[in-house]
Amino acid sequence: MASVTEFPAAPAERPALAPIRVGTRRSDLARIQTDIVVRALMEAFPDRQCEVHAMATMGDKNQVTALHDFGAKSLWTHELEAALAQGQLDLIVHSLKDMPTTLPPNMILGAITTRHDARDALVLSKHLMSALESATAAPSIPKDLLTAPSILASLPEGSVIGTSSVRRSAQLARLHPHLRFESVRGNIGTRLSKLDDKDGPYVAIILASAGLERMNWSARISRYLTSRGEEDREGRLFGSDESVKERREASGPPFRGVLHAVGQGALGIEIRGDDEAMQGMLAKVACVRSTLAGLAERSLMRMLEGGCSVPIGVETEWVHSSTTSRETLAMRAIVASLDGKQVAEVELTEDVGNNQEAELFGKKVAQALVENGAGPILDAIIKEREAGEASRTAEI
């Protein structure tokens, strides 16, 4: 009689896979952005679960000090990166603009997801909007302010614009020297509350449009700011009926508007460099075009050693090439002195097809900026910052 081999019974359920531990900051915007990544991961890997771990960073804990007065480059990332290094997290979701361009040892940028609107946004105070609508605004405020080609140019002398970014204030000081700029810190809700305080100094503030839109506050946006000037949501300049082609051809230096921050509008996912499994998973949620643009921008900043305290602005745009069958990457970039009186600006276009080419393109743009005078501007800013740090240390 033939023997019968008995196989062990199959388990009733497959062993559960370990959840993906996702780190983020505690702010409402950070949680919304993390949810975007979590949904993408769970859609790509429906058999996996995610655990979100939120914590406060140095930048969250100090809501008073102006950003350019901080010495730390990892203002929004240090505490999260420590947990990642210790194996308490599998990945961190960052606003790409807040990620230092040089990461800690064994940490890498694992993916950049599809970029949202990268433009800056001009937000007017509610009391100014109400006064305009009821025709009770001060005589110095133009009645047609909301339809003027430039709201910023039309504001009265000495109007205060709130921004915590020296990049924004430097570029705006160059274009609109009649305005004043004061720091405004806090999460988006806090900044809007400070703006709308009737006893506060601000007539408007500048914020990243991506954050406003993700928080469902896009209705507060009066204008979108770009290298060309003030635009509507669709990218049309106010007071202009030019075509898309004409807009593109008119976008080069000297720039007539504000270039956004490196990485603005995009989400970066940081992981351990030796976590090959996570690298493979993130390849399913990364956006190639956003990644190439983001890497080029970060390479530019790394070469110039910029951060929240250095006025470096960029714009990247995929444009159709008449000589190749694929789109090329155009990058516009600017370095400005803190008072806006000195600038170096450039626009270059390159055929970028992989990460290495993106990195090289960023270096090429950085070199062009240096050749156009960025070096002395950056040296002066660094010396001024070091002198301020020395003064504060002496006072302690």
Side-chain angles (χ1 to χ4, degrees):
M1 183 177 178
S3 61
V4 178
T5 302
E6 294 186 2
F7 293 96
E13 297 181 1
R14 295 176 60 186
L17 295 171
I20 302 169
R21 297 164 299 173
V22 181
T24 184
R25 292 165 55 200
R26 287 180 178 169
S27 73
D28 291 341
L29 177 58
R31 296 299 298 267
I32 288 172
Q33 294 176 158
T34 299
D35 287 344
I36 293 172
V37 173
V38 167
R39 286 195 299 270
L41 283 169
M42 295 184 69
E43 182 176 338
F45 303 96
D47 57 340
R48 299 297 296 268
Q49 297 295 316
C50 293
E51 290 179 356
V52 176
H53 301 267
M55 61 181 65
T57 64
M58 186 192 314
D60 296 311
K61 295 171 184 175
N62 184 337
Q63 295 288 318
V64 177
T65 304
L67 291 181
H68 55 81
D69 286 336
F70 279 101
K73 288 188 176 181
S74 54
L75 188 61
W76 312 105
T77 62
H78 176 74
E79 291 82 356
L80 290 161
E81 287 172 334
L84 181 62
Q86 294 166 9
Q88 298 170 354
L89 298 172
D90 297 309
L91 62 89
I92 307 169
V93 178
H94 298 290
S95 288
L96 187 61
K97 67 182 180 64
D98 295 333
M99 285 188 73
T101 54
T102 300
L103 300 179
N106 197 36
M107 300 298 168
I108 63 172
L109 177 57
I112 298 175
T113 59
T114 302
R115 192 174 205 166
H116 203 81
D117 195 327
R119 295 175 294 180
D120 280 324
L122 174 67
V123 181
L124 298 179
S125 66
K126 283 186 175 179
H127 48 87
L128 175 56
M129 293 290 288
S130 296
L132 288 168
E133 292 170 1
S134 61
T136 58
S140 59
I141 303 290
K143 295 180 180 179
D144 62 348
L145 180 68
L146 299 181
T147 57
S150 171
I151 288 178
L152 289 166
S154 303
L155 288 171
E157 179 92 19
S159 296
V160 177
I161 309 299
T163 175
S164 55
S165 163
V166 293
R167 169 189 58 81
R168 291 169 179 149
S169 60
Q171 292 184 77
L172 288 170
R174 171 203 184 192
L175 299 165
H176 307 292
H178 68 293
L179 300 177
R180 291 173 48 212
F181 305 95
E182 293 187 10
S183 176
V184 55
R185 289 289 316 279
N187 59 38
I188 295 180
T190 299
R191 296 187 200 193
L192 290 174
S193 295
K194 292 178 178 179
L195 169 66
D196 295 332
D197 182 355
K198 290 185 178 181
D199 297 323
Y202 313 106
V203 297
I205 60 175
I206 312 294
L207 297 169
S209 62
L212 288 163
E213 290 172 359
R214 285 171 178 152
M215 293 286 290
N216 292 321
W217 282 326
S218 58
R220 292 297 309 265
I221 299 175
S222 296
R223 296 286 170 90
Y224 292 85
L225 308 182
T226 73
S227 63
R228 301 171 53 254
E230 298 177 19
E231 299 179 346
D232 64 12
R233 184 179 179 83
E234 285 70 39
R236 293 185 294 263
L237 283 173
F238 278 80
S240 172
D241 57 359
E242 60 188 351
S243 68
V244 172
K245 180 181 179 181
E246 290 170 333
R247 294 204 303 271
R248 173 72 187 88
E249 292 174 346
S251 63
F255 302 126
R256 295 170 290 174
V258 177
L259 282 68
H260 59 70
V262 165
Q264 187 160 302
L267 303 180
I269 305 176
E270 186 176 3
I271 60 174
R272 291 182 294 276
D274 57 5
D275 193 343
E276 295 181 1
M278 190 56 60
Q279 290 183 46
M281 294 181 70
L282 291 181
K284 300 287 188 180
V285 301
C287 171
V288 174
R289 286 162 56 102
S290 297
T291 296
L292 295 178
L295 291 177
E297 293 175 15
R298 287 171 61 80
S299 176
L300 160 74
M301 177 172 275
R302 190 181 302 112
M303 287 291 293
L304 298 177
E305 297 184 350
C308 290
S309 56
V310 178
I312 299 174
V314 298
E315 275 184 358
T316 46
E317 178 185 6
W318 290 97
V319 297
H320 179 73
S321 171
S322 59
T323 58
T324 67
S325 58
R326 62 182 183 181
E327 290 184 311
T328 56
L329 185 62
M331 183 187 292
R332 296 176 277 277
I334 187 171
V335 171
S337 61
L338 296 178
D339 60 9
K341 294 181 179 179
Q342 296 176 290
V343 296
E345 49 194 348
V346 67
E347 178 177 12
L348 296 177
T349 302
E350 191 85 3
D351 188 4
V352 174
N354 56 51
N355 292 0
Q356 183 179 10
E357 291 176 351
E359 295 274 355
L360 291 174
F361 182 39
K363 293 178 181 179
K364 182 178 179 179
V365 177
Q367 183 59 41
L369 279 171
V370 172
E371 293 172 357
N372 284 359
I377 297 173
L378 292 172
D379 289 343
I381 292 171
I382 292 171
K383 287 181 181 178
E384 182 175 337
R385 185 176 62 195
E386 290 176 346
E389 291 173 354
S391 175
R392 286 191 294 274
T393 301
E395 290 174 0
I396 293 173

